[in-house]
mmCIF file of all heavy atoms in Angstrom:
data_model
loop_
_atom_site.group_PDB
_atom_site.id
_atom_site.type_symbol
_atom_site.label_atom_id
_atom_site.label_comp_id
_atom_site.label_asym_id
_atom_site.label_seq_id
_atom_site.Cartn_x
_atom_site.Cartn_y
_atom_site.Cartn_z
ATOM 1 N N LEU A 1551 5.125 16.989 24.423
ATOM 2 C CA LEU A 1551 5.665 18.030 25.284
ATOM 3 C C LEU A 1551 4.696 18.383 26.407
ATOM 4 O O LEU A 1551 5.011 18.234 27.573
ATOM 5 C CB LEU A 1551 5.999 19.276 24.458
ATOM 6 C CG LEU A 1551 7.120 19.100 23.429
ATOM 7 C CD1 LEU A 1551 7.242 20.344 22.551
ATOM 8 C CD2 LEU A 1551 8.443 18.791 24.117
ATOM 9 N N TRP A 1552 3.505 18.866 26.029
ATOM 10 C CA TRP A 1552 2.550 19.277 27.054
ATOM 11 C C TRP A 1552 1.135 19.314 26.481
ATOM 12 O O TRP A 1552 0.923 19.335 25.274
ATOM 13 C CB TRP A 1552 2.901 20.653 27.619
ATOM 14 C CG TRP A 1552 3.403 21.620 26.601
ATOM 15 C CD1 TRP A 1552 2.686 22.294 25.661
ATOM 16 C CD2 TRP A 1552 4.767 22.013 26.399
ATOM 17 N NE1 TRP A 1552 3.491 23.081 24.897
ATOM 18 C CE2 TRP A 1552 4.786 22.936 25.327
ATOM 19 C CE3 TRP A 1552 5.970 21.693 27.024
ATOM 20 C CZ2 TRP A 1552 5.956 23.523 24.867
ATOM 21 C CZ3 TRP A 1552 7.140 22.283 26.566
ATOM 22 C CH2 TRP A 1552 7.125 23.175 25.510
ATOM 23 N N TYR A 1553 0.177 19.296 27.410
ATOM 24 C CA TYR A 1553 -1.224 19.471 27.053
ATOM 25 C C TYR A 1553 -1.538 20.957 27.125
ATOM 26 O O TYR A 1553 -1.075 21.663 28.024
ATOM 27 C CB TYR A 1553 -2.143 18.731 28.021
ATOM 28 C CG TYR A 1553 -1.787 17.290 28.255
ATOM 29 C CD1 TYR A 1553 -1.433 16.846 29.536
ATOM 30 C CD2 TYR A 1553 -1.807 16.363 27.218
ATOM 31 C CE1 TYR A 1553 -1.117 15.514 29.771
ATOM 32 C CE2 TYR A 1553 -1.482 15.036 27.445
ATOM 33 C CZ TYR A 1553 -1.129 14.612 28.721
ATOM 34 O OH TYR A 1553 -0.802 13.305 28.950
ATOM 35 N N GLN A 1554 -2.351 21.420 26.197
ATOM 36 C CA GLN A 1554 -2.697 22.833 26.169
ATOM 37 C C GLN A 1554 -4.126 23.064 26.618
ATOM 38 O O GLN A 1554 -5.046 22.381 26.164
ATOM 39 C CB GLN A 1554 -2.533 23.417 24.774
ATOM 40 C CG GLN A 1554 -2.979 24.868 24.698
ATOM 41 C CD GLN A 1554 -2.738 25.470 23.344
ATOM 42 O OE1 GLN A 1554 -1.644 25.390 22.818
ATOM 43 N NE2 GLN A 1554 -3.761 26.066 22.765
ATOM 44 N N ASN A 1555 -4.297 24.026 27.485
ATOM 45 C CA ASN A 1555 -5.640 24.472 27.838
ATOM 46 C C ASN A 1555 -6.237 25.285 26.695
ATOM 47 O O ASN A 1555 -5.512 25.817 25.850
ATOM 48 C CB ASN A 1555 -5.599 25.357 29.084
ATOM 49 C CG ASN A 1555 -5.490 24.564 30.363
ATOM 50 O OD1 ASN A 1555 -5.318 23.344 30.332
ATOM 51 N ND2 ASN A 1555 -5.567 25.243 31.484
ATOM 52 N N GLY A 1556 -7.556 25.388 26.692
ATOM 53 C CA GLY A 1556 -8.203 26.392 25.873
ATOM 54 C C GLY A 1556 -8.152 27.700 26.640
ATOM 55 O O GLY A 1556 -8.649 27.781 27.764
ATOM 56 N N PHE A 1557 -7.506 28.704 26.087
ATOM 57 C CA PHE A 1557 -7.380 29.950 26.827
ATOM 58 C C PHE A 1557 -7.508 31.138 25.884
ATOM 59 O O PHE A 1557 -7.193 31.062 24.697
ATOM 60 C CB PHE A 1557 -6.058 30.015 27.599
ATOM 61 C CG PHE A 1557 -4.825 29.925 26.738
ATOM 62 C CD1 PHE A 1557 -4.223 31.069 26.262
ATOM 63 C CD2 PHE A 1557 -4.282 28.688 26.421
ATOM 64 C CE1 PHE A 1557 -3.101 30.998 25.466
ATOM 65 C CE2 PHE A 1557 -3.157 28.605 25.625
ATOM 66 C CZ PHE A 1557 -2.558 29.760 25.140
ATOM 67 N N GLY A 1558 -7.993 32.217 26.442
ATOM 68 C CA GLY A 1558 -8.211 33.422 25.664
ATOM 69 C C GLY A 1558 -9.088 34.358 26.474
ATOM 70 O O GLY A 1558 -8.943 34.465 27.694
ATOM 71 N N GLY A 1559 -10.019 35.012 25.804
ATOM 72 C CA GLY A 1559 -10.896 35.901 26.526
ATOM 73 C C GLY A 1559 -11.856 36.613 25.595
ATOM 74 O O GLY A 1559 -11.931 36.310 24.403
ATOM 75 N N HIS A 1560 -12.587 37.561 26.151
ATOM 76 C CA HIS A 1560 -13.571 38.269 25.334
ATOM 77 C C HIS A 1560 -13.664 39.726 25.755
ATOM 78 O O HIS A 1560 -13.182 40.129 26.834
ATOM 79 C CB HIS A 1560 -14.940 37.582 25.413
ATOM 80 C CG HIS A 1560 -15.549 37.516 26.779
ATOM 81 N ND1 HIS A 1560 -16.330 38.526 27.294
ATOM 82 C CD2 HIS A 1560 -15.494 36.551 27.725
ATOM 83 C CE1 HIS A 1560 -16.742 38.184 28.507
ATOM 84 N NE2 HIS A 1560 -16.244 36.997 28.803
ATOM 85 N N SER A 1561 -14.275 40.509 24.918
ATOM 86 C CA SER A 1561 -14.394 41.950 25.142
ATOM 87 C C SER A 1561 -15.526 42.254 26.122
ATOM 88 O O SER A 1561 -16.268 41.365 26.559
ATOM 89 C CB SER A 1561 -14.659 42.657 23.814
ATOM 90 O OG SER A 1561 -16.001 42.423 23.389
ATOM 91 N N ASN A 1562 -15.673 43.537 26.425
ATOM 92 C CA ASN A 1562 -16.779 43.985 27.280
ATOM 93 C C ASN A 1562 -18.101 44.014 26.535
ATOM 94 O O ASN A 1562 -19.154 44.211 27.145
ATOM 95 C CB ASN A 1562 -16.475 45.386 27.822
ATOM 96 C CG ASN A 1562 -15.376 45.392 28.866
ATOM 97 O OD1 ASN A 1562 -15.539 44.835 29.943
ATOM 98 N ND2 ASN A 1562 -14.248 46.012 28.537
ATOM 99 N N ASN A 1563 -18.043 43.809 25.222
ATOM 100 C CA ASN A 1563 -19.253 43.909 24.398
ATOM 101 C C ASN A 1563 -20.056 42.621 24.316
ATOM 102 O O ASN A 1563 -21.177 42.630 23.809
ATOM 103 C CB ASN A 1563 -18.881 44.323 22.965
ATOM 104 C CG ASN A 1563 -18.103 45.621 22.918
ATOM 105 O OD1 ASN A 1563 -18.354 46.516 23.708
ATOM 106 N ND2 ASN A 1563 -17.150 45.718 21.998
ATOM 107 N N VAL A 1564 -19.461 41.514 24.780
ATOM 108 C CA VAL A 1564 -20.115 40.214 24.612
ATOM 109 C C VAL A 1564 -20.192 39.471 25.935
ATOM 110 O O VAL A 1564 -19.498 39.791 26.903
ATOM 111 C CB VAL A 1564 -19.379 39.346 23.558
ATOM 112 C CG1 VAL A 1564 -19.417 40.003 22.184
ATOM 113 C CG2 VAL A 1564 -17.937 39.077 23.979
ATOM 114 N N SER A 1565 -21.035 38.447 25.943
ATOM 115 C CA SER A 1565 -21.196 37.593 27.120
ATOM 116 C C SER A 1565 -21.461 36.161 26.674
ATOM 117 O O SER A 1565 -21.561 35.884 25.484
ATOM 118 C CB SER A 1565 -22.359 38.100 27.991
ATOM 119 O OG SER A 1565 -23.584 38.056 27.257
ATOM 120 N N ASP A 1566 -21.567 35.266 27.644
ATOM 121 C CA ASP A 1566 -21.844 33.852 27.390
ATOM 122 C C ASP A 1566 -20.778 33.219 26.485
ATOM 123 O O ASP A 1566 -21.087 32.409 25.614
ATOM 124 C CB ASP A 1566 -23.233 33.680 26.755
ATOM 125 C CG ASP A 1566 -24.368 33.998 27.712
ATOM 126 O OD1 ASP A 1566 -24.172 34.875 28.591
ATOM 127 O OD2 ASP A 1566 -25.423 33.394 27.596
ATOM 128 N N VAL A 1567 -19.525 33.577 26.719
ATOM 129 C CA VAL A 1567 -18.424 33.018 25.939
ATOM 130 C C VAL A 1567 -17.882 31.790 26.654
ATOM 131 O O VAL A 1567 -17.426 31.879 27.799
ATOM 132 C CB VAL A 1567 -17.300 34.044 25.731
ATOM 133 C CG1 VAL A 1567 -16.159 33.427 24.925
ATOM 134 C CG2 VAL A 1567 -17.838 35.281 25.025
ATOM 135 N N VAL A 1568 -17.954 30.652 26.000
ATOM 136 C CA VAL A 1568 -17.414 29.401 26.538
ATOM 137 C C VAL A 1568 -16.594 28.721 25.458
ATOM 138 O O VAL A 1568 -16.837 28.904 24.265
ATOM 139 C CB VAL A 1568 -18.529 28.449 27.028
ATOM 140 C CG1 VAL A 1568 -19.285 29.057 28.193
ATOM 141 C CG2 VAL A 1568 -19.480 28.104 25.892
ATOM 142 N N PHE A 1569 -15.595 27.958 25.888
ATOM 143 C CA PHE A 1569 -14.794 27.154 24.971
ATOM 144 C C PHE A 1569 -15.248 25.706 25.097
ATOM 145 O O PHE A 1569 -15.543 25.235 26.194
ATOM 146 C CB PHE A 1569 -13.310 27.244 25.315
ATOM 147 C CG PHE A 1569 -12.646 28.536 24.894
ATOM 148 C CD1 PHE A 1569 -13.391 29.658 24.572
ATOM 149 C CD2 PHE A 1569 -11.266 28.624 24.840
ATOM 150 C CE1 PHE A 1569 -12.787 30.844 24.200
ATOM 151 C CE2 PHE A 1569 -10.644 29.800 24.458
ATOM 152 C CZ PHE A 1569 -11.395 30.919 24.140
ATOM 153 N N ASN A 1570 -15.292 25.000 23.966
ATOM 154 C CA ASN A 1570 -15.753 23.618 24.002
ATOM 155 C C ASN A 1570 -14.613 22.645 24.271
ATOM 156 O O ASN A 1570 -13.477 23.057 24.554
ATOM 157 C CB ASN A 1570 -16.493 23.267 22.700
ATOM 158 C CG ASN A 1570 -15.601 23.348 21.462
ATOM 159 O OD1 ASN A 1570 -14.376 23.214 21.528
ATOM 160 N ND2 ASN A 1570 -16.217 23.571 20.313
ATOM 161 N N TRP A 1571 -14.914 21.369 24.194
ATOM 162 C CA TRP A 1571 -13.935 20.328 24.528
ATOM 163 C C TRP A 1571 -12.698 20.384 23.643
ATOM 164 O O TRP A 1571 -11.627 19.898 24.034
ATOM 165 C CB TRP A 1571 -14.595 18.950 24.408
ATOM 166 C CG TRP A 1571 -14.956 18.575 23.001
ATOM 167 C CD1 TRP A 1571 -16.071 18.964 22.316
ATOM 168 C CD2 TRP A 1571 -14.190 17.789 22.096
ATOM 169 N NE1 TRP A 1571 -16.044 18.460 21.042
ATOM 170 C CE2 TRP A 1571 -14.897 17.728 20.880
ATOM 171 C CE3 TRP A 1571 -12.978 17.124 22.191
ATOM 172 C CZ2 TRP A 1571 -14.433 17.036 19.774
ATOM 173 C CZ3 TRP A 1571 -12.497 16.422 21.087
ATOM 174 C CH2 TRP A 1571 -13.231 16.386 19.896
ATOM 175 N N LYS A 1572 -12.794 21.000 22.463
ATOM 176 C CA LYS A 1572 -11.656 21.129 21.549
ATOM 177 C C LYS A 1572 -10.887 22.424 21.762
ATOM 178 O O LYS A 1572 -9.983 22.737 20.994
ATOM 179 C CB LYS A 1572 -12.131 21.076 20.093
ATOM 180 C CG LYS A 1572 -12.684 19.753 19.649
ATOM 181 C CD LYS A 1572 -12.809 19.667 18.147
ATOM 182 C CE LYS A 1572 -13.766 20.668 17.568
ATOM 183 N NZ LYS A 1572 -13.914 20.513 16.101
ATOM 184 N N SER A 1573 -11.243 23.186 22.781
ATOM 185 C CA SER A 1573 -10.620 24.485 23.054
ATOM 186 C C SER A 1573 -11.005 25.533 22.022
ATOM 187 O O SER A 1573 -10.295 26.514 21.827
ATOM 188 C CB SER A 1573 -9.084 24.371 23.126
ATOM 189 O OG SER A 1573 -8.683 23.456 24.096
ATOM 190 N N VAL A 1574 -12.138 25.345 21.362
ATOM 191 C CA VAL A 1574 -12.637 26.291 20.368
ATOM 192 C C VAL A 1574 -13.845 27.020 20.956
ATOM 193 O O VAL A 1574 -14.715 26.394 21.556
ATOM 194 C CB VAL A 1574 -13.041 25.561 19.071
ATOM 195 C CG1 VAL A 1574 -13.663 26.527 18.071
ATOM 196 C CG2 VAL A 1574 -11.832 24.868 18.452
ATOM 197 N N PRO A 1575 -13.925 28.342 20.797
ATOM 198 C CA PRO A 1575 -15.094 29.060 21.309
ATOM 199 C C PRO A 1575 -16.400 28.556 20.696
ATOM 200 O O PRO A 1575 -16.444 28.227 19.500
ATOM 201 C CB PRO A 1575 -14.828 30.511 20.879
ATOM 202 C CG PRO A 1575 -13.343 30.596 20.724
ATOM 203 C CD PRO A 1575 -12.924 29.253 20.196
ATOM 204 N N GLU A 1576 -17.444 28.506 21.505
ATOM 205 C CA GLU A 1576 -18.776 28.188 21.003
ATOM 206 C C GLU A 1576 -19.380 29.490 20.475
ATOM 207 O O GLU A 1576 -20.132 30.184 21.168
ATOM 208 C CB GLU A 1576 -19.636 27.595 22.116
ATOM 209 C CG GLU A 1576 -19.320 26.157 22.447
ATOM 210 C CD GLU A 1576 -19.819 25.200 21.367
ATOM 211 O OE1 GLU A 1576 -21.038 25.124 21.137
ATOM 212 O OE2 GLU A 1576 -18.961 24.519 20.760
ATOM 213 N N TYR A 1577 -19.021 29.821 19.231
ATOM 214 C CA TYR A 1577 -19.399 31.124 18.676
ATOM 215 C C TYR A 1577 -20.907 31.336 18.672
ATOM 216 O O TYR A 1577 -21.385 32.463 18.878
ATOM 217 C CB TYR A 1577 -18.847 31.254 17.255
ATOM 218 C CG TYR A 1577 -17.347 31.188 17.177
ATOM 219 C CD1 TYR A 1577 -16.704 30.026 16.730
ATOM 220 C CD2 TYR A 1577 -16.564 32.273 17.557
ATOM 221 C CE1 TYR A 1577 -15.321 29.959 16.661
ATOM 222 C CE2 TYR A 1577 -15.185 32.216 17.492
ATOM 223 C CZ TYR A 1577 -14.557 31.044 17.045
ATOM 224 O OH TYR A 1577 -13.182 30.976 16.985
ATOM 225 N N SER A 1578 -21.647 30.268 18.449
ATOM 226 C CA SER A 1578 -23.110 30.414 18.357
ATOM 227 C C SER A 1578 -23.736 30.857 19.669
ATOM 228 O O SER A 1578 -24.814 31.458 19.685
ATOM 229 C CB SER A 1578 -23.731 29.082 17.920
ATOM 230 O OG SER A 1578 -23.415 28.066 18.855
#
Side-chain angles (χ1 to χ4, degrees):
L1551 295 173
W1552 39 75
Y1553 309 118
Q1554 176 176 309
N1555 281 7
F1557 60 92
H1560 61 87
S1561 74
N1562 289 295
N1563 304 324
V1564 297
S1565 61
D1566 291 31
V1567 179
V1568 296
F1569 284 17
N1570 63 25
W1571 67 278
K1572 293 194 297 183
S1573 303
V1574 176
E1576 284 287 297
Y1577 298 104
S1578 60

